[in-house]
């Protein structure tokens, strides 16, 4: 039986990936920073990824065939508590770089045959104006999150080249599921549509409805992670739909799916927008060619799926 370790097992991608791998007969173990609020579908351990000895001991004991480094530190631009830039950088580097380095060093020492996938982000491209991004596009990160994700990407490349470890990366564009937190705009819209169906006086307030995003379906993106680790050689890959759609389009489809006209329930408040949006899409030609991967649903299918998944969630209905 093949063994997989998911670092960051409590997040959206970790939960989806655990189910994906379990259905394929993997023994799945997850690492989390703290005890999960709701049960995870895999065996899990509370591991401090900044403690090199703990990382090495668990890796040496478990000897996973595949390691998925999905741990991430997010700080919402809408958070009520402002965090100093230096503190944001420290926390981001702890999770996206220092913890990763502990895992890579442990792999080299006691599990050199393991294969690692690192979840990078489209934010590594920063504010570059070129519309379509591929693996050769310049990296111009402009936030603490993006800078640290870029550093993690570079670390994987370094260990791949100099230590000959299988350290692959996926530069992931936006990908959604019902496991997203309520603060994400996709869930704000979906939950708003369902609430408006119950209460026709409800109004949903959004920021820039003209903002355009390359959106994908999260279950498809964990499929891409798996496919990347089945390749003969490690590399870097863009994981994206390759299409741009606006927040307004998202709202239109979601409200339409529950029988409502979104224009009667959506209001805009530009002060909610605290950062400028630079629309660009990902070119996943390399991934598709190497693995045969393709999204299972189009944009409309993504939004419809999210609405129906939310309908089945007790705290929404």
């Amino acid at each position: 039986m093949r063994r997989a370790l998911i670092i960051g097992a409590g997040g959206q991608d970790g939960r989806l990936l655990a189910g994906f791998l379990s259905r394929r007969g993997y023994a799945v173990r997850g690492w989390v920073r703290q005890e999960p609020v709701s049960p995870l579908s895999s065996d899990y351990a509370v591991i401090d990824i900044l403690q090199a000895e703990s990382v090495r001991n668990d890796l040496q004991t478990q000897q996973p065939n595949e390691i998925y480094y999905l741990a991430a530190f997010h700080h919402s631009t809408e958070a009520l508590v402002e965090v100093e830039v230096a503190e944001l950088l420290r926390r981001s580097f702890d999770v996206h770089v220092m913890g990763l380095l502990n895992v890579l060093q442990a792999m080299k020492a006691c599990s050199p045959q393991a294969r690692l996938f690192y979840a990078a982000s489209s934010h590594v491209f920063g504010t570059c104006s070129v519309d379509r991004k591929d693996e050769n596009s310049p990296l111009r990160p402009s936030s603490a999150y993006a800078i640290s994700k870029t550093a993690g990407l570079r670390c994987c490349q370094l260990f791949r080249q100099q230590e000959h470890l299988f350290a692959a990366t996926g530069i992931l564009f936006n990908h959604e599921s019902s496991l997203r937190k309520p603060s994400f705009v996709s869930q704000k819209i979906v939950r708003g549509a369902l609430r408006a169906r119950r209460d026709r006086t409800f109004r949903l307030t959004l920021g820039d409805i003209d903002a355009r995003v390359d959106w994908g379906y999260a279950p498809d993106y964990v499929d891409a992670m798996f496919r990347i680790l089945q390749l003969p050689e490690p590399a870097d890959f863009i994981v994206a739909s390759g299409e741009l759609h606006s927040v307004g389009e998202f709202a239109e489809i979601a409200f339409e799916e529950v029988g409502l006209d979104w224009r009667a329930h959506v209001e805009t408040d530009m002060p909610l927008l605290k950062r400028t949006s630079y629309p660009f899409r990902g070119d996943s030609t390399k991934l598709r060619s190497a693995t045969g991967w393709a999204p299972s649903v189009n944009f409309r299918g993504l939004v419809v799926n999210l609405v129906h998944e939310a309908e089945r969630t007790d705290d929404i209905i």
Side-chain angles (χ1 to χ4, degrees):
M1 177 182 290
R2 292 186 66 79
R3 298 176 299 279
L5 169 64
I6 301 174
I7 302 171
Q12 168 190 259
D13 293 354
R15 289 174 180 267
L16 291 172
L17 181 61
F20 179 95
L21 294 172
S22 295
R23 291 190 294 273
R24 283 157 179 75
Y26 276 66
V28 181
R29 181 172 176 81
W31 286 1
V32 294
R33 280 179 284 182
Q34 57 189 23
E35 290 288 341
V37 175
S38 56
L40 299 180
S41 60
S42 59
D43 173 31
Y44 69 88
V46 177
I47 297 286
D48 183 353
I49 56 176
L50 297 181
Q51 297 297 318
E53 185 176 358
S54 298
V55 168
R56 178 169 176 168
N57 288 343
D58 198 86
L59 204 64
Q60 187 166 24
T61 300
Q62 300 300 323
Q63 288 295 314
N65 303 103
E66 298 172 10
I67 301 170
Y68 296 85
Y69 196 98
L70 310 183
F73 173 73
H74 296 281
H75 179 72
S76 171
T77 57
E78 296 180 9
L80 295 177
V81 178
E82 293 295 332
V83 180
E84 293 291 333
V85 171
E87 180 64 11
L88 276 178
L89 279 168
R90 186 190 67 76
R91 294 186 191 180
S92 298
F93 267 83
D94 279 350
V95 176
H96 304 148
V97 182
M98 302 312 297
L100 172 66
L101 286 177
N102 285 337
V103 172
L104 289 168
Q105 289 179 310
M107 284 175 61
K108 177 185 175 183
C110 60
S111 192
Q113 301 308 311
R115 297 181 167 210
L116 179 135
F117 173 87
Y118 177 73
S121 165
S122 61
H123 287 274
V124 300
F125 297 119
T127 60
C128 180
S129 60
V130 177
D131 172 67
R132 189 180 290 271
K133 308 296 184 186
D134 63 19
E135 293 79 8
N136 297 315
S137 297
L139 306 182
R140 296 173 179 170
S142 57
S143 68
Y145 176 83
I147 291 168
S148 57
K149 280 288 189 178
T150 303
L153 172 67
R154 293 302 195 196
C155 287
C156 288
Q157 293 171 343
L158 183 65
F159 272 76
R160 190 163 73 214
Q161 295 162 4
Q162 296 194 7
E163 304 294 350
H164 308 294
L165 293 181
F166 194 112
T169 73
I171 301 175
L172 307 175
F173 281 63
N174 290 68
H175 48 291
E176 312 296 325
S177 81
S178 59
L179 296 176
R180 277 293 202 197
K181 294 179 180 179
S183 59
F184 281 79
V185 69
S186 60
Q187 286 302 302
K188 285 184 178 180
I189 294 172
V190 167
R191 291 166 182 250
L194 293 175
R195 182 172 173 183
R197 184 172 63 181
R198 299 192 306 269
D199 176 7
R200 297 304 173 92
T201 66
F202 174 73
R203 297 293 182 269
L204 172 66
T205 303
L206 298 173
D208 184 5
I209 61 173
D210 294 321
R212 301 169 71 210
V213 179
D214 184 331
W215 264 304
Y217 190 40
D220 290 338
Y221 285 47
V222 301
D223 175 31
M225 298 174 191
F226 173 77
R227 290 174 184 248
I228 288 169
L229 287 197
Q230 312 316 307
L231 293 172
E233 299 293 336
D236 308 312
F237 295 92
I238 297 286
V239 187
S241 75
E243 299 179 1
L244 287 174
H245 295 277
S246 71
V247 172
E249 288 179 79
F250 197 116
E252 180 180 8
I253 296 171
F255 278 80
E256 179 182 281
E257 190 61 20
V258 299
L260 299 174
D261 182 346
W262 72 287
R263 291 169 296 185
H265 298 278
V266 173
E267 300 172 346
T268 58
D269 182 4
M270 292 306 292
L272 286 179
L273 189 65
K274 295 188 179 181
R275 63 185 174 197
T276 304
S277 175
Y278 294 87
F280 51 78
R281 51 187 165 170
D283 182 350
S284 58
T285 300
K286 179 181 175 181
L287 173 65
R288 295 176 191 237
S289 176
T291 69
W293 178 84
S296 66
V297 295
N298 59 17
F299 178 68
R300 175 173 289 275
L302 158 68
V303 179
V304 169
N305 280 357
L306 295 183
V307 170
H308 292 307
E309 288 171 8
E311 285 178 319
R312 296 191 292 269
T313 305
D314 291 339
D315 63 343
I316 298 299
I317 299 174

